[in-house]
Amino acid sequence: MLAACVLAGGWVLCQARAPGKTGRDAKTSKDAKAQAGYKSPTCVAFSPDGRRAYVTNRTGASVSVIDAAAGKVAAEVRVGRRPTGVAVSPDGRWAYAANTADHSVSVIDARANKAVGSIQVGFEPTGLVVSPDGKRLYTANTISNDVSVVDTAARKQVARIPVGRAPTYLALAPDGKTLVVNNSLSHQPATDPKLTAHVSVIDTAAGKVIAEKRSGGTMLLGMGVAISADGQVAFAVHSRPNFNITPSQLGQGWVHTNALSIIPLAAGGKVITVLLDNVSSGMANPHGVALSKDGRRLFVSHRGVHQLSVVNLDALRALIKRTRPADLARAHLNLGYLWQYGGVVRRVGSGGLCPNALAVSPADGSVWVPNYFSDNVAVLDGMTGKLRRTIALGPPTKMTLVRRGEFLFHDGAHCFQQWLSCTSCHPDTRADGVNWDLLNDGRANPKNAKSLVGSWQTPPAMIRGVRASMEVAAEKGFLFIQFVQPTPDELEAVRAYLRSVPFIPSPFHRKADGSLDDQARRGRKVFARAGCAACHPPPLYTDMKKYDVRTRTMRDPKGTTYDTPTLLELYRTAPYLHDGRAATLEEVLTTYNPLDAHGTTSKLSKQELADLAAFLKAL
Amino acid sequence: MKTGVCPESVPGATLKRNGTKWSGVCGCCRGPAHYMREWTSLTRPGLRIGMWALAAAVLLAAAPAWAAPKGGGPGVFIDARGLRKDSARVFSVYRGNTCVKVARAGQVAAVAPGTYDVRVGFPSGWVAAPVEVKPGKPTVVPTGLFQFRTLTPPKMRSTVPQKLYHGRSYLVTGYQGQTARLLPGKYTVRYHAPTDRRQARMLKGWHVVGPFRANYNTERSLKRVCGPEQALHDLGRTFTDRGKKLTWRKLAPATQRNLQPQVRGVGFVYLATEFQAEAASMVQLVGFARGGMKVWLNGKLIRTVPMGRRTYITVRTEIFAPLRKGTNRLLIKTMASQYAYWPFGVGLEHWRSYDVTVRAGQNALPPQPATVPHAAQPAPVGGIKGIVFCQVPNRSDGRSGLHYEQFRIVRRPSAARICTLIPAAPNGTFTDLTGKHFAAAMQPDLSYDGKKIIFTARRAKDTYGVWNIYEMNLDGSGLRQITRDMGECSDPYYLPNEKIVFSSDVTGFRDEYDRDKARLLYTCNPDGSDAERITFNLSSDTASIVLQDGRILFTTWQHHGEHSGVDGTFAFGTVMPDGTQFNAFTGNQGQQNDTKSYAQQLTDGRVVYVDSAGHRHYNAGGLRAVDLSNPQKNHTVLTPGMVYNGYNLAGRYASPYPLPNGRMLCSYSPGRGTSALRTDPWETIHMGVYRFDFDAGRPGAIVFDDPTAQDYDALAVFKRPVPPIVPDVVDRRKTTGVMMCVNAYISDRPQQTKYARIGLLPPAKPGEIKAVRVTEGFGIEDTDRNRHKATVIDMLQMSFGSNSNAGNGFEQKRILGYAPVESDGSFSVEVPADKVLSLQTLDANGMAIETQLTWVWVRPGETRLCIGCHEPRDSALSNTDCIAMRRPATVVAEPKVKPYTIDFRRDIMPIIEKRCSGCHNPKKTSGGLDLRKGFELVFHRAGHRGRKIEAAMFNHAYESLLQAPPNRVGTLVISNAARHSPLIWRLYGKQLAFTDVRNPYKKKCNLMPPGKPLPEAEKRLFVEWVDLGAQWDNILGEDPLPGYNAKESKRMAIEVNRKLARPILNAEEAFKARCLECHDTRKLAPLRTIRPEQIAPLMKRMMAKRRGWIKPQEVTLISGYIRKNAKAPAKRK
């Protein structure tokens, strides 16, 4: 999911609803306290006059209201947990913040600087926009894979529009008629070599998706999106991974490239994807996108490298104009495309660590960049990109071991030529849903990326168990995936961070009090009956042994067995099985278990299967 | 007794000659003065004072009348006082257009009375003066002296060349203090001061018309007058050439240096441009092109450059021409060639000039030097602690002692030392760090904290000692040796993980080109332990640095096959510190054979390097910068000015080094020349350390310059960021690695087929590639230091050891195996690790479509992936689902697959004897082929460095197949390309693929032998033999095969090499080289106890026995050495 990195900091705060008995609570809650001092600014929005800026603080669970002229925090408004998206109503009267962990939107009275209410939306809302007339509010719900439409007057969710998997941010055309949603993951099974995420285009009047925009290359981890002032073109950032090929080297974009897609919103327009990397260095984890006031420059924040790409759109348009169509179709493969003439793109520092979703001030055109790990907002000159000032959101705090580990997990700048960070394949320490053929266990046998949550409790690590533990795997990841030698304390920090990430309880098939609903309760019985618990015993739902449940492919050597994964968080770790062949849990139980080698599921009725799937989804 | 007349202009003075000896008193100088001595020496055979003197001596002997006019008769006398070496030496006496006498200055020429022209010859021209010779009285040719003095500031004085002209004709180049003896008259001296901001500008805005068809590059074509020549500069005109309509069109700026992409085709073209001149002036037009050229300026033909035979050579011409004020029009006719690179360019140099009037018997001087403010005033450098640099004292004659070649450590300056200047300011403290420890020390590198240096050095006493790597603190303390027993080590650099990377020749094999020892990259611990080879090339890899991202960047000499001709190519490659992920960094941008060396990364991330024109000219040339955003394409020339055909007009730059904040240090010597190695005959190198002025594109303030030494390789002492440590991913337990390709059809090579030739063949067509062949190359290890001293040119002519005479494929190769290529172009193959490999893509017949011209390797356990065959280097991987990625790699490594090789004598000759010799033999040379049986070798007399050598290397059949006979164009075998070889077509009875347009076999391709095709297995042998380079000897090591007399061949090789060798003028070295071959340490006793009187007869005997081996010049030296070191034998009791 999203350059997910984003969310990671916040997970630690959601202790209360974690399904207990996993034996980690004491440790993590201690760390949660240690994290409490951090703000972790994530998104920024301006009042229409540009005099006030609203910054969501993910771990601070608040919205900082900044007096733009003075450059000081005027107020800090408590909101729900892990606020991410933020928007201000056109009249400046209300501000809205999407509370990702609470599945709600906080309404802030801009006069009183006080949260005055909350609106329940879909699961884990991330991006948030307000319509130009201020009547509607849209949130992109990462876990429920839809967009919530909220009536701001009634403060009520009025509709949910299904989009792609794990939508992150969205943008609304100036006329309010078109809504563009960037999705970070794909619904396709990982065995599909054509797997790609897409950008959903919604007609707000009809309340449905009218187009799914795909690029010539693979799209994944789509994050920020912006629409030009004329409403013709959307700019979306995403990564372009090469998971079909054994990535033998990191350089030259052989694992991840980081792309900007130029999406014509008119029907039939071809998406042009260009790379923000160049031949010698990557721009890991593009995140926020904002257009300059005059619409002639595009700012893209790169979370992994603590830099911004400043794209000169005039020069880019000219460049595209003189490129032959055949070359343009391959521009997403050309690391030198934006760099062949000077002046198309340049890189500027973000004024802090991990720049998140940025915004341009309507008052003076300056670019405001919330820097997640620096707890500040950097103000860059809208013309030159030079750092004007940084606004601290709280008192300076020292990074704890876990916080440092979290930072290193999201930091792509230390990686060889800054091509990627841990989050490039483990967004938010979970998985990107695709198969990678890494060299640690031989080649030509791609495996679905595994979620790292709980990996410290469930050795061995990796789906084939080639690493004895998370601790070993973490080190090897640095050495052989990022091609960088970590220092012992860096390694310890990352391990501590991975130990600190809790499982997030599923919002699916749960009652308001968090207990299982009826269907899931029935499913729990089926779970026991079908013999699932033999290898997936609670509380971690794994016996930490390796089996072949008759899913071995021709690509794997004979006798290959696979680690039994935990079933916790199944609701967010699709696709399933070692090579991600099953897009849904139902497929795991039926299509890919014809011989009952993976639990005796063939004798279950349709209803029982549905119940079992519901239970699994509720874990 | 004969009499002569003193050449001095004192009538009546007489000299006497007795036979060859002259005596008497000169009337002017009262004794057997200098002229007499010269005369005497001239007539004594065996002592030479230069070629012209010898010629004169011959003339003297042949024509007595000319030396001694009868009865003091009429003569021409030539005044020669104060004559200097570089000045006029030869005077020719002309009557009309006929030369009647040639004389040296000071000689006497007897001619009949009358009017003559006396011409004074210069290296590039002559001046004539009329002389009236009257009966009975000697006539003296009047001359005057002119002394060159430069008009530039003192720092530059000795190095600014001045060109002397008489009218429009160029005579000679002179330097500060030199004197020219000239005939009276008006002369012009032209020069350009190094301080001139723009020394040359390339003319732009060209229009082109053509190509007009022409016979293949003949002189006649150049003479053929076509439309544009008649309608000079009328760009509106159209022309018809053999039915084709031709119009003027604009030349795209990008193609101005290479006409081929724009013009495409064989023939000649006209190019026209207009440019403005602010005032009427004389300028120097410097043009380069291939083949012949005709140049018109403002409608007037000003130069015709004849075609010459070697059309593949870039011809450069310099024309002094008058520009008129306002618009000037230039029209050029130049011949096209079939080569992909067709260079063209015209530059304009504004030279300053002054006039000189030379009067008889007088000294002339240039006008008083004008004071030109020099930009390069010494100034301190801020932000750094000081500089570390290398210094080489000038030789006693004031010339540079710098003799700096990258791969040839033996030629490195013997007296180099590493010095510091702290702080880097005119008043800084100069310290010689290494003088007291080492005979020579150079190539310093600073640790990242700026506290230590690492360098290569040779110990003081050990004259023949190898170069090793040493480390030292910056204050001169803490000296320690790092490498031991690692051969000759050079180019050390600190790695971020505290290891060291350096070059060493310890593998002992000889490189592909000139058979010097190849140097490769190694890493070792700080104490020199655990040295590990990290690059696998058959030529040299050197000059490594560590980039800010942790990669090692190095200069790699790539030579496989016909890579940029026989010279190979010098590109930059990158590799991880563990030797994995070898990739091209930047290739040949600019000229074809530019040498790229001495890269450094500036603090702003750009990589700067020295770009030397031509190949093998290291560390001196222009500076270029590469932008890391796309190193293959984004490079800029930092030092504007033309670099062409071995000349860099912008001066010579060396050893750039980063300063804080993106600034840069560099070394610079004004003047022009090819490299530190090759210079203009009149040029002196004078390297100093400068700051580089990026805006002006020239050196800025001087940092340090010792007028008596060359100062270069300067490093700025400041704290540099330590690059990240790239982890070691080599699995040393494994013996193999995997090579994979996404799509072998992806290539950035042009699909052009019409004018393709080997080396420029088009990429494969879809579906054509069926398999890859993995070949392994071997460097030749030979303990005999003489055997492979010869260069590739020698090898081509004599081919000792292991190569064919085909002009490519220098190395012995063997086939490791084959792997299938999937329908989508992907393949994966498991190959032996740490071997020198090259891949060939094969068609359905198993014949090479493309041959990889870079040697590559995998480290143990490494997986290497490439996108395509010659894919664009800025391309990212595409997320393609390849068939080959879904299955295990095909293993082409032992023990699963056994490697094998194809050798002409062992494998091919028996088939030829069985199938071909019956019709192709001396009696029936069908098709001009002599494929006679047996291994009788063909002897040739080959020219080499002006000498003739007789050598025989191959038998008749081999030569017949690989050499173009006189009545044929092209050869039957094209090495490395079976599908393009007419021989293979004959075996298959059809043309298999396209080859050169001129190939006469295009239409006719009979099956051979007629009606009885070879069995498949034999055909396959032929194919593999040709694809491997059509090697005569492809068997590694000792060679027991018949027909190839290894012993005799080796003897002959040694013999020829000895004959070729230059005399050794150091007694000890000569002794070692000439005597220790047989008198090794055990057999030294007879020489040690030799009696002095035995030495001369022994040497005489040896001279007779080893003809041409011991050089005459060495005899005295060796005799002296033996005499000095011999101990008198103990007296017998």
Side-chain angles (χ1 to χ4, degrees), chain A residues 211-558:
Chain A
E212 291 180 353
K213 295 285 187 180
R214 287 179 174 80
S215 139
T218 311
M219 299 167 98
L220 208 66
L221 307 185
M223 300 299 303
V225 60
I227 298 180
S228 62
D230 58 7
Q232 296 292 308
V233 181
F235 300 94
V237 291
H238 55 89
S239 108
R240 191 188 64 73
N242 295 316
F243 50 77
N244 277 316
I245 285 173
T246 310
S248 68
Q249 73 173 49
L250 200 46
Q252 249 175 277
W254 285 24
V255 181
H256 267 287
T257 44
N258 303 291
L260 166 70
S261 278
I262 302 144
I263 304 167
L265 295 177
K270 265 200 174 166
V271 178
I272 298 165
T273 301
V274 295
L275 300 180
L276 295 168
D277 319 298
N278 65 33
V279 176
S280 308
S281 63
M283 286 297 265
N285 310 126
H287 192 94
V289 179
L291 278 159
S292 69
K293 218 177 146 190
D294 58 5
R296 293 170 67 182
R297 279 178 308 284
L298 187 77
F299 304 95
V300 180
S301 64
H302 296 265
R303 244 184 153 248
V305 297
H306 326 303
Q307 281 179 317
L308 263 55
S309 288
V310 184
V311 184
N312 181 335
L313 292 179
D314 294 340
L316 179 62
R317 202 171 295 123
L319 177 64
I320 288 171
K321 215 170 182 180
R322 66 181 146 184
T323 310
R324 291 181 305 169
D327 291 341
L328 202 55
R330 292 182 63 81
H332 68 274
L333 299 176
N334 189 346
L335 290 164
Y337 182 72
L338 291 187
W339 304 86
Q340 51 190 313
Y341 308 101
V344 180
V345 63
R346 83 206 149 83
R347 298 170 174 184
V348 296
S350 74
L353 299 175
C354 288
N356 251 73
L358 33 74
V360 170
S361 158
D364 60 357
S366 57
V367 187
W368 288 53
V369 191
N371 288 304
Y372 192 95
F373 287 100
S374 302
D375 281 353
N376 71 18
V377 175
V379 183
L380 309 185
D381 188 283
M383 290 300 288
T384 63
K386 268 191 183 159
L387 181 65
R388 275 203 204 150
R389 63 176 178 226
T390 54
I391 302 164
L393 296 174
T397 40
K398 220 182 143 212
M399 276 198 190
T400 59
L401 189 67
V402 169
R403 176 86 166 174
R404 175 135 192 265
E406 184 186 357
F407 165 65
L408 289 168
F409 195 85
H410 295 95
D411 179 26
H414 73 280
C415 152
F416 175 72
Q417 292 182 350
Q418 58 185 40
W419 285 101
L420 47 82
S421 65
C422 305
T423 50
S424 296
C425 299
H426 295 287
D428 174 32
T429 70
R430 273 71 183 180
D432 57 1
V434 299
N435 284 350
W436 290 100
D437 185 12
L438 300 184
L439 292 170
N440 48 24
D441 55 352
R443 44 165 294 280
N445 50 358
K447 298 142 299 266
N448 201 225
K450 249 183 110 178
S451 167
L452 304 184
V453 185
S455 56
W456 64 282
Q457 292 168 294
T458 60
M462 326 286 291
I463 198 79
R464 278 173 61 182
V466 293
R467 304 286 181 219
S469 63
M470 175 279 281
E471 284 75 10
V472 177
E475 182 182 4
K476 302 296 181 194
F478 277 109
L479 290 177
F480 303 129
I481 299 173
Q482 302 201 352
F483 289 94
V484 67
Q485 182 86 50
T487 62
D489 55 323
E490 281 172 352
L491 207 50
E492 208 30 68
V494 172
R495 286 167 178 164
Y497 167 63
L498 286 177
R499 284 189 206 104
S500 77
V501 181
F503 290 103
I504 299 178
S506 169
F508 296 97
H509 301 286
R510 296 264 178 185
K511 291 179 186 165
D513 62 356
S515 61
L516 296 176
D517 69 4
D518 293 343
Q519 188 183 17
R521 273 174 204 280
R522 290 198 301 275
R524 186 160 63 186
K525 283 177 191 154
V526 183
F527 184 77
R529 185 145 46 88
C532 306
C535 302
H536 294 285
L540 287 171
Y541 294 92
T542 169
D543 63 356
M544 299 177 214
K545 286 179 185 152
K546 298 202 295 174
Y547 302 98
D548 174 18
V549 290
R550 306 296 274 273
T551 55
R552 190 176 66 80
T553 58
M554 295 294 283
R555 295 188 183 192
D556 287 314
K558 264 186 191 169

Side-chain angles (χ1 to χ4, degrees), chain B residues 310 312 512-513 515 566 787-808 810 937-955 958-959 962-963 1032 1044 1049 1052-1053 1056-1057 1060:
Chain B
R310 302 165 79 191
Y312 53 87
E512 295 159 284
Y513 182 77
R515 299 302 178 202
V566 291
R787 184 173 171 191
H788 292 299
K789 254 189 168 172
T791 66
V792 153
I793 305 304
D794 308 340
M795 306 297 288
L796 297 183
Q797 287 168 349
M798 288 162 275
S799 300
F800 308 117
S802 70
N803 56 75
S804 71
N805 60 354
N808 48 14
F810 300 126
L937 303 185
V938 192
F939 272 80
H940 291 285
R941 285 179 70 86
H944 179 93
R945 292 180 190 153
R947 280 166 269 195
K948 293 276 181 200
I949 301 145
E950 191 163 87
M953 275 298 110
F954 310 116
N955 70 353
Y958 188 80
E959 294 225 341
L962 274 114
Q963 285 192 337
W1032 165 261
Y1044 183 69
S1049 174
M1052 194 155 57
V1056 171
N1057 274 304
L1060 292 178

Side-chain angles (χ1 to χ4, degrees), chain B residues 111-312:
Chain B
V111 290
T115 308
Y116 297 88
D117 266 351
V118 174
R119 290 185 186 178
V120 182
F122 290 95
S124 306
W126 47 266
V127 190
V131 171
E132 178 78 22
V133 177
K134 285 173 183 154
K137 203 177 173 194
T139 309
V140 176
V141 176
T143 57
L145 291 174
F146 165 66
Q147 195 177 16
F148 289 98
R149 282 194 188 167
T150 59
L151 306 173
T152 45
K155 274 284 172 198
M156 302 289 177
R157 253 181 201 170
S158 61
T159 58
V160 174
Q162 299 183 52
K163 291 187 161 191
L164 187 70
Y165 280 76
H166 187 253
R168 296 267 298 275
S169 69
Y170 161 66
L171 301 178
V172 71
T173 301
Y175 287 87
Q176 164 78 12
Q178 288 184 344
T179 314
R181 177 161 294 270
L182 302 166
L183 293 169
K186 273 191 104 174
Y187 295 85
T188 308
V189 176
R190 304 181 201 280
Y191 68 102
H192 63 73
T195 47
D196 286 357
R197 189 168 269 243
R198 297 296 296 264
Q199 289 164 9
R201 75 180 163 98
M202 299 297 287
L203 293 181
K204 289 173 184 166
W206 290 94
H207 284 71
V208 65
V209 60
F212 291 85
R213 274 182 63 186
N215 285 339
Y216 191 75
N217 278 359
T218 58
E219 209 66 59
R220 213 173 45 186
S221 301
L222 192 65
K223 284 181 187 152
R224 197 182 135 207
V225 175
C226 284
E229 232 164 288
Q230 292 150 342
L232 289 168
H233 227 95
D234 183 357
L235 301 187
R237 282 277 295 272
T238 55
F239 312 97
T240 34
D241 181 58
R242 305 193 189 184
K244 219 167 101 186
K245 200 178 154 200
L246 297 168
T247 52
W248 285 98
R249 59 190 191 278
K250 215 171 168 198
L251 202 61
T255 61
Q256 279 194 4
R257 290 201 55 184
N258 180 7
L259 291 182
Q260 189 59 269
Q262 190 95 337
V263 175
R264 287 186 193 278
V266 179
F268 54 85
V269 295
Y270 290 88
L271 295 126
T273 189
E274 282 184 0
F275 57 96
Q276 300 293 323
E278 284 173 12
S281 61
M282 289 292 281
V283 292
Q284 176 144 287
L285 289 167
V286 188
F288 60 93
R290 259 187 188 137
M293 216 185 324
K294 273 171 125 177
V295 184
W296 291 264
L297 179 66
N298 294 328
K300 202 176 154 199
L301 181 67
I302 57 169
R303 179 65 58 92
T304 304
V305 182
M307 184 70 64
R309 282 180 62 205
R310 302 165 79 191
T311 53
Y312 53 87

